Amino acid sequence: MQTLNIIARPQNTPFHLFKNSHSYSCRNLVFSFTVSCNLKTKKNGTLSTKIVDPGGAPSVSEGNINGGVPDTPPPQLKNKGGGFGLKRLSKKILSVLSNLPLAIGEMFAVAALMALGTFIDQGETPSYYFQKYPEENPILGFFTWRWVLTLGFDHMFSSPIFLGTLTLLGASLIACTYTTQIPLVKVARRWSFLQSAEAIRKQEYSDTLPRASIQDLGIILMGAGYEVFAKGPSLYAFKGLAGRFAPIGVHIALLLVMAGGTLSATGSFRGSVTVPQGLNFVVGDVLGPSGFLSTPLEEFNTEVHINKFSMEYYDSGEVSQFRSDISLFDLNGKELMRKTISVNDPLRYEGITIYQTDWSISALQVMKNDEGPFNLAMAPLKINGDKKLYGTFLPVGDSDSAQVKGISMLARDLQSIVLYDEEGKFAGVRRPNSKLPIEINGNKIVVVDAIGSTGLELKTDPGVPIVYAGFGALMLTTCISYLSHAQIWALQDGTTVFIGGKTNRAKGEFPDEMNRLLDQVPELVESSPSTQLDNTSG
């Protein structure tokens, strides 16, 4: 059965229908209707529903009426629909990015690429990879030079695949912070009062004090370092809010480390050079860009002069340390800085760092029959192992002859020179600057000096301060994240106080702490009638 009662309107009178309203308006005529219906169900019999709307809708002007139906939907409905779709898409993207298994997979992918970049030599020429990863003998049956050069593994840390994975991991960290960590902090900062004993009993820890005052409990909690808030019979307290902020700090620190590392890989300059003592070079001639963000500095016009190169030795004769005394000059020849550098003690100037990394012997000065000195270039010789060996040759006799003979000289360092005669037989050993002559095949030879060359590595790395700041923040926030965020609720019901609490960490110690605090709450004691009478008579 259905019943419909409607107050009629005049014919041909326009009206405007308002969404979600059961009232109609036509100029000065307002009417309402009542609908009654009986619905039959299979199991529960008859269900009666009555909808009554006695109110009326506000009148509308004739200018907004056209046969009782609007020409087009209201503009705000269109915007709302489009915005809702965009909002849903944003939430879907954030939900996917903040997925924990995805973030863990991204971290493993970054770690695997970094390990692969350590295994594969970086920055070599294509011919080097052709020889080391040939197609005739692929590693693991498939890995050849094509993988290295096509995917950019020869410059792993600035390759698109590595930077893309790093960017995806950063997006996941930002999404997790936005969707999880920030809401947790907002909730933790609210003054949350529980108004029922049942809600308090549902907490991780709960207890009841039959004769106690909520004010006394609040004072004790304040003494234990809690922030306490009270409203009527309810109490809320918390401490360790910094532990809630710490995960956000950890994410920001990780983002700083990744941003700094990316800037170092794509925005730095690097180069190496071997310079004999007494010569110089220009910084910009040595440095080369490492990525698309590399921007030259004005200081690249600085000139580096090698004042002196020296070496130190162990008692066994092995090299223990080597140093370079270097000066920096501007375009006008003014000395800007001077320092003696060594391994692990570089020179830093305006974002440019010069490291001591290697050494060699560039030349040997000798006197022959009191003539000279002659500068003989020293050439590196290949030998087994990591030992260094340099050699040179001093011609004797007729230099125009087809078979030139001479004296061979070998050196492992700047301490001593080994000499051999024309037949290749050992002739003796001399120290540079000893001025002690040696007679070889009728020629008097004096080793005047051995000139060393310093091996330097230069680089600019704008990402280093950001990486250091990120690691410092990471260590600090990681320690702070171990602080427990504890929350306590209490409700006064007569003389009974209901207490409940929870914590995000130290769950084993939290009940012991709560028991210790509650033991300090004084018990309310009622005065006996006789005591009250005595006090009144007194």
Side-chain angles (χ1 to χ4, degrees):
M1 179 192 66
Q2 298 182 355
T3 302
L4 177 65
N5 298 323
I6 301 178
I7 301 175
R9 65 177 176 84
Q11 292 183 354
N12 302 325
T13 303
F15 66 93
H16 181 75
L17 177 62
F18 287 82
K19 187 178 181 180
N20 297 330
S21 175
H22 301 297
S23 297
Y24 299 86
S25 173
C26 56
R27 296 186 182 179
N28 297 325
L29 179 62
V30 179
F31 61 93
S32 62
F33 66 90
T34 302
V35 178
S36 300
C37 59
N38 292 333
L39 303 177
K40 294 183 179 181
T41 61
K42 295 181 179 180
K43 295 182 180 180
N44 298 329
T46 301
L47 175 65
S48 178
T49 302
K50 187 176 183 179
I51 304 174
V52 180
D53 189 352
S59 61
V60 296
S61 62
E62 293 183 8
N64 293 333
I65 301 176
N66 185 9
V69 181
D71 290 335
T72 58
Q76 62 269 23
L77 295 180
K78 291 183 179 180
N79 295 337
K80 184 176 180 181
F84 180 71
L86 182 61
K87 188 175 182 180
R88 288 187 61 185
L89 178 61
S90 301
K91 287 185 176 180
K92 183 67 175 178
I93 294 174
L94 288 174
S95 176
V96 173
L97 289 175
S98 59
N99 183 267
L100 181 59
L102 175 63
I104 294 176
E106 293 164 354
M107 294 181 67
F108 274 106
V110 170
L113 291 174
M114 293 177 66
L116 188 59
T118 304
F119 173 77
I120 299 175
D121 296 327
Q122 301 290 294
E124 301 292 342
T125 60
S127 59
Y128 174 85
Y129 300 105
F130 294 157
Q131 296 177 2
K132 190 164 186 179
Y133 306 102
E135 292 184 322
E136 295 78 12
N137 186 23
I139 298 178
L140 300 178
F142 69 94
F143 192 84
T144 65
W145 60 268
R146 294 186 182 274
W147 287 82
V148 177
L149 299 182
T150 303
L151 299 178
F153 289 167
D154 57 327
H155 53 280
M156 174 66 75
F157 303 104
S158 60
S159 64
I161 186 171
F162 180 80
L163 295 179
T165 307
L166 206 61
T167 302
L168 187 60
L169 177 58
S172 293
L173 288 175
I174 295 174
C176 178
T177 302
Y178 180 77
T179 60
T180 304
Q181 300 301 333
I182 293 180
L184 286 177
V185 172
K186 288 182 178 179
V187 171
R189 294 185 62 186
R190 294 173 184 167
W191 299 354
S192 175
F193 296 100
L194 299 182
Q195 305 295 337
S196 66
E198 291 298 325
I200 292 178
R201 290 194 185 100
K202 292 180 180 179
Q203 302 303 315
E204 297 175 359
Y205 172 89
S206 63
D207 201 349
T208 303
L209 299 179
R211 292 181 175 275
S213 170
I214 200 171
Q215 287 81 9
D216 295 336
L217 174 62
I219 294 173
I220 292 174
L221 291 176
M222 290 176 63
Y226 283 82
E227 295 286 339
V228 180
F229 306 91
K231 181 180 180 181
S234 300
L235 178 145
Y236 171 66
F238 72 87
K239 73 173 182 178
L241 187 60
R244 283 294 189 187
F245 284 96
I248 299 178
V250 170
H251 288 183
I252 294 175
L254 288 174
L255 290 173
L256 284 175
V257 172
M258 290 190 293
T262 302
L263 184 58
S264 295
T266 60
S268 60
F269 286 82
R270 297 177 183 274
S272 59
V273 63
T274 301
V275 187
Q277 176 180 302
L279 299 184
N280 50 30
F281 64 93
V282 178
V283 171
D285 295 339
V286 175
L287 291 175
S290 61
F292 60 92
L293 295 179
S294 301
T295 303
L297 304 176
E298 184 179 353
E299 288 72 21
F300 283 10
N301 294 323
T302 304
E303 186 178 76
V304 180
H305 182 75
I306 310 301
N307 300 313
K308 184 177 178 58
F309 175 75
S310 59
M311 303 177 66
E312 299 175 2
Y313 305 90
Y314 293 111
D315 295 337
S316 61
E318 297 291 332
V319 177
S320 63
Q321 183 63 277
F322 38 98
R323 307 177 186 275
S324 298
D325 179 13
I326 61 179
S327 295
L328 305 183
F329 294 91
D330 62 11
L331 293 176
N332 298 321
K334 178 183 177 181
E335 187 177 51
L336 303 173
M337 186 177 183
R338 181 170 181 172
K339 181 180 179 180
T340 299
I341 66 172
S342 59
V343 178
N344 298 326
D345 185 18
L347 179 147
R348 292 182 173 89
Y349 173 75
E350 299 295 336
I352 302 173
T353 306
I354 303 178
Y355 296 91
Q356 178 74 75
T357 58
D358 203 356
W359 65 272
S360 66
I361 303 176
S362 61
L364 197 63
Q365 285 187 347
V366 298
M367 298 284 291
K368 174 186 174 185
N369 298 324
D370 297 328
E371 295 179 357
F374 301 100
N375 290 328
L376 305 178
M378 299 286 284
L381 305 177
K382 291 184 178 180
I383 59 175
N384 296 329
D386 297 331
K387 300 294 184 180
K388 292 186 176 184
L389 182 64
Y390 299 86
T392 188
F393 182 78
L394 176 63
V396 295
D398 186 5
S399 59
D400 296 331
S401 174
Q403 294 182 349
V404 179
K405 294 185 178 181
I407 301 171
S408 301
M409 304 178 191
L410 300 178
R412 293 185 179 274
D413 49 45
L414 302 179
Q415 289 189 107
S416 58
I417 309 299
V418 182
L419 296 94
Y420 298 85
D421 62 13
E422 297 178 6
E423 304 298 330
K425 296 180 180 179
F426 174 74
V429 178
R430 290 295 182 268
R431 287 182 176 274
N433 299 315
S434 65
K435 299 181 180 180
L436 182 63
I438 183 172
E439 190 78 20
I440 304 177
N441 299 124
N443 297 287
K444 185 176 72 172
I445 305 298
V446 177
V447 179
V448 178
D449 194 9
I451 302 174
S453 294
T454 179
L456 303 177
E457 182 175 351
L458 290 77
K459 73 173 185 178
T460 65
D461 200 339
V464 167
I466 302 176
V467 172
Y468 283 175
F471 272 114
L474 183 61
M475 291 186 290
L476 178 62
T477 53
T478 300
C479 294
I480 295 176
S481 66
Y482 284 99
L483 296 177
S484 299
H485 176 242
Q487 296 174 282
I488 297 175
W489 293 268
L491 180 65
Q492 182 87 55
D493 185 5
T495 61
T496 303
V497 177
F498 298 94
I499 303 102
K502 66 178 182 178
T503 182
N504 63 334
R505 300 187 186 278
K507 296 184 180 293
E509 294 79 3
F510 183 67
D512 296 335
E513 180 187 8
M514 288 297 302
N515 292 332
R516 179 177 57 82
L517 293 175
L518 297 183
D519 288 342
Q520 301 177 26
V521 179
E523 183 179 359
L524 297 180
V525 179
E526 295 183 357
S527 301
S528 62
S530 59
T531 304
Q532 295 178 359
L533 182 61
D534 293 340
N535 293 336
T536 303
S537 61

